[in-house]
Amino acid sequence: MASDQSEEKYLLDPDLGQLPDLRNSKGHGFRCFKHDGVYLLVPPPFMLKGGHPTDRIKSIKEAELKDDDVIILAYPKCGTHWLWEVLEMLKSGTIKYQKDVKETRMMEFIFKDGIEAVQHPRVFNTHLPLRMLPTQVVEKKVKCIQIMRNPKDACVSFFNHSRDLSEPYGYDGDFAEFTEAFLSGKMPFGSYSSYLLAWKAEVAASPELPVLYMFYEDMKIDPVKAVKDIAKFLKLTSTDQFCEEVAAACSFKKMKKVDQEMKGDLPLKIWKDGAEGTFYRKGEIGDWKNWFTVAENERFDQIWNEKMKDSGFEFTYTAV
Ligand code: A3P
């Protein structure tokens, strides 16, 4: 995409304003624009359909929702694909994998017109904060499910994802540099700690909003219980047997196979040529131990704990 001149011209278009410089001293970083305090990747022109990225993002607030829509809320790499497939099966009442990719239901990817065009039953997903979502989320009390993951595994997963992305989105730095960006927030969707704290504050200001909080690690340790909890939250009449079938159909192994064999193409080429790019990499708890040095781990703990003290969020870092 870097060689595509219209893309390059677009990124440098003065109408876009000054793109914030998120590069580190080695020149590695992301190309984002900033909207309402959050860094977002500059979408490719075909997604913008002639619009400005800020206007397209703003359009999401006006989107009409349906009473029984469900929205997955998650910071990147916390298990959205997994939860989305589970929810699609639960909502449809059938063990049938979606041919579409979950990006076709991602609010910041499809904007107002795309959101409204999705067929019922509808399960959306987003990495955006509540203040950028349709105002009808709160007005209609649309059911939301926030999936969280321990920040070290999320960081490792996000690094692998970003490294494998094609130009101009790919990340050229190493893991230590990426971790600094992850902690400081100089990256798409900002830091995970800021994301969680913003969500907590925004949801506290809308106490009527039905939100189910889930953890990737709990889903991994007891997937059947997780599926049952979701069915209960959505007030579905799913039987125990059906929940067991959903959990089994959405195991990491099965979903990786389905992704390779039957998923449709992503709406744009996102992976670098020759990269292993996949949304189904390892699917484990505790892979961070293979990536962080002792010193990096201590530094991560220090910064994370300082930012999150008194927040009430507690994470599982090791598989039992
Ligand atoms: P890893 O990179 O650690 O393997 P998202 O869907 O939010 O992009 O998150 C992707 C992460 O969820 C990846 O983590 C991916 O492997 C993991 N994942 C996807 N499907 C999964 C499943 N069925 N079970 C466990 N982990 C899964």
Side-chain angles (χ1 to χ4, degrees):
M1 272 195 286
S3 57
D4 178 337
Q5 287 182 346
S6 59
E7 170 85 358
E8 197 61 24
K9 178 179 170 301
Y10 169 78
L11 284 168
L12 302 173
D13 187 339
D15 288 348
L16 193 56
Q18 188 73 40
L19 289 179
D21 190 353
L22 301 182
R23 287 169 301 174
N24 64 12
S25 57
K26 294 182 183 167
H28 300 142
F30 294 91
R31 298 175 93 173
C32 297
F33 69 104
K34 197 170 193 179
H35 174 59
D36 201 0
V38 179
Y39 294 125
L40 299 168
L41 284 171
V42 181
F46 88 89
M47 273 169 61
L48 294 169
K49 299 181 183 143
H52 188 282
T54 305
D55 294 337
R56 298 291 277 148
I57 285 286
K58 277 187 189 160
S59 79
I60 296 172
K61 284 190 82 73
E62 312 302 322
E64 295 269 339
L65 295 181
K66 299 190 191 307
D67 291 333
D68 67 343
D69 285 346
V70 181
I71 309 177
I72 300 171
L73 321 159
Y75 188 76
K77 314 320 291 174
C78 290
T80 311
H81 286 77
W82 185 11
L83 183 54
W84 183 66
E85 204 76 50
V86 165
L87 279 164
E88 286 286 352
M89 288 187 189
L90 279 176
K91 290 277 284 179
S92 67
T94 52
I95 303 295
K96 204 167 137 205
Y97 299 101
Q98 285 292 308
K99 285 206 181 71
D100 294 339
V101 289
K102 76 108 187 132
E103 284 64 28
T104 58
R105 311 290 198 278
M106 191 171 176
M107 288 180 153
E108 56 272 38
F109 218 92
I110 59 177
F111 310 113
K112 173 183 170 15
D113 36 357
I115 292 169
E116 291 175 351
V118 173
Q119 297 294 306
H120 186 266
R122 314 183 327 156
V123 183
F124 296 105
N125 62 92
T126 183
H127 301 318
L128 295 176
L130 181 58
R131 65 182 181 278
M132 291 188 204
L133 300 191
T135 50
Q136 288 194 353
V137 172
V138 174
E139 287 162 14
K140 291 194 165 182
K141 300 189 183 65
V142 170
K143 290 199 169 66
C144 295
I145 305 184
Q146 170 77 249
I147 178 148
M148 297 169 280
R149 186 179 191 184
N150 84 59
K152 294 178 192 175
D153 281 333
C155 179
V156 168
S157 183
F158 207 169
F159 169 66
N160 280 280
H161 174 101
S162 305
R163 191 184 51 177
D164 286 353
L165 287 178
S166 58
E167 287 297 321
Y169 304 106
Y171 185 73
D172 291 332
D174 61 22
F175 178 64
E177 293 171 74
F178 183 89
T179 304
E180 290 302 317
F182 184 89
L183 288 168
S184 69
K186 287 189 167 185
M187 59 187 306
F189 304 104
S191 72
Y192 189 19
S193 50
S194 304
Y195 171 88
L196 288 173
L197 295 175
W199 255 100
K200 194 176 171 194
E202 289 173 356
V203 169
S206 300
E208 305 284 287
L209 185 69
V211 184
L212 176 66
Y213 289 95
M214 301 194 60
F215 288 93
Y216 175 98
E217 292 79 14
D218 291 344
M219 224 167 131
K220 192 73 200 161
I221 291 164
D222 193 345
V224 174
K225 179 180 181 303
V227 174
K228 286 183 185 169
D229 288 348
I230 298 167
K232 195 170 160 204
F233 173 69
L234 298 180
K235 299 191 167 54
L236 301 173
T237 52
S238 323
T239 62
D240 285 358
Q241 191 193 331
F242 182 65
C243 290
E244 283 163 25
E245 285 169 14
V246 171
C250 294
S251 70
F252 177 77
K253 237 175 160 176
K254 291 238 170 85
M255 281 187 59
K256 189 173 174 92
K257 192 159 179 275
V258 164
D259 184 58
Q260 289 161 343
E261 290 175 359
M262 66 158 273
K263 282 280 180 196
D265 286 335
L266 280 162
L268 75 161
K269 175 187 174 322
I270 68 162
W271 305 119
K272 233 179 233 162
D273 287 334
E276 205 196 326
T278 173
F279 290 105
Y280 304 89
R281 192 184 60 92
K282 275 196 164 179
E284 286 173 7
I285 306 170
D287 185 37
W288 62 271
K289 292 176 189 171
N290 299 314
W291 290 82
F292 284 81
T293 63
V294 171
E296 282 165 2
N297 184 39
E298 280 172 5
R299 182 170 154 72
F300 192 103
D301 282 343
Q302 190 198 355
I303 296 173
W304 180 267
N305 293 340
E306 178 58 29
K307 286 194 176 158
M308 298 301 278
K309 69 169 185 269
D310 308 326
S311 70
F313 290 102
E314 281 183 26
F315 293 95
T316 303
Y317 290 90
T318 305
V320 275

